[in-house]
Amino acid sequence: MAKANCYADASLYSEAMRTLERVKMYLLDPDEAREVLIMKAIYAKMGGDFGAALGYLEESGDAGSYPELYSVLLAGAWRFDEALEQALNVASSEEEAAAIRDLFRKTPRLRKENTAAAWSFVPPAGQIYLGKPAAGLLSMILNAGAAALTAYEIIQGDWVTGLLGGGLLLNETFFKGNMEKNIQSVSSVNKLSIEAFTASLDSLLMSMESSGLELD
């Protein structure tokens, strides 16, 4: 455990976690086991693995004693109602509670691949759904250009070039450059939005704790 702390002090959280994994939990008494699980939760969070961190904290059976950490991890799992409940346990005044509620009014929306794919049939709706209007405008221009070129070739009587060339061009601009790209972007958009929100929540709760707050 001391070695894990040394790794953590050097910001080597993956090494700290691997060190703690070598602790034989069945040899520990309940208090020691709880301490190790809390350490795992903290280091997993610092390493960016919110799901594992939440699992360790809840496994400890003492998550309620760490409302700041628990709230941030619940938010990282998109469990915002529970996260808000825990965050309010940190507030020592109505002003702090109001600040927490105000932040939770800005919780990010979880984007879904099926929805992104459906909206992608109407460029730039897919990119707008993902919060990327500029990329949507570019996609609309490229798709419109590809469609216009295809239509022009067909009107001129060059059906082969129009259908084959236009089809290949639309495949690149619509399916690969639009639909597939939107679907692939869902996970990264969700990750960035939840990271930004949890960072704001973490900062807010830590500032309240450092102000001399007595925790429940």
Side-chain angles (χ1 to χ4, degrees), residues 195-214:
E195 283 178 351
F197 179 78
T198 54
S200 297
L201 177 60
D202 202 4
S203 177
L204 177 62
L205 297 181
M206 289 303 104
S207 68
M208 292 179 182
E209 181 187 24
S210 64
S211 66
L213 172 66
E214 290 293 331

Side-chain angles (χ1 to χ4, degrees), residues 96-108:
E96 291 182 347
I100 290 171
R101 292 191 181 95
D102 183 61
L103 178 61
F104 272 86
R105 292 189 187 98
K106 305 170 187 175
T107 52

Side-chain angles (χ1 to χ4, degrees), residues 82-140:
E82 297 168 80
L84 174 58
E85 180 182 351
Q86 289 298 321
L88 289 174
N89 289 334
V90 181
S92 60
S93 67
E94 184 54 40
E95 290 76 12
E96 291 182 347
I100 290 171
R101 292 191 181 95
D102 183 61
L103 178 61
F104 272 86
R105 292 189 187 98
K106 305 170 187 175
T107 52
R109 293 185 300 122
L110 178 64
R111 267 69 172 187
K112 299 180 180 179
E113 291 185 356
N114 290 341
T115 305
W119 279 116
S120 295
F121 280 101
V122 189
Q127 288 85 354
I128 293 174
Y129 171 71
L130 295 172
K132 300 179 177 181
L137 179 61
L138 177 60
S139 175
M140 183 176 66

Side-chain angles (χ1 to χ4, degrees), residues 57-79:
L57 186 60
E58 291 185 328
E59 185 182 350
S60 75
D62 199 26
S65 298
Y66 303 88
E68 304 95 336
L69 177 61
Y70 197 21
S71 177
V72 172
L73 296 181
L74 286 167
W78 301 86
R79 292 161 58 179

Side-chain angles (χ1 to χ4, degrees), residues 125-156:
Q127 288 85 354
I128 293 174
Y129 171 71
L130 295 172
K132 300 179 177 181
L137 179 61
L138 177 60
S139 175
M140 183 176 66
I141 293 172
L142 291 175
N143 280 287
L149 180 61
T150 302
Y152 175 79
E153 294 293 340
I154 292 176
I155 291 172
Q156 293 298 313

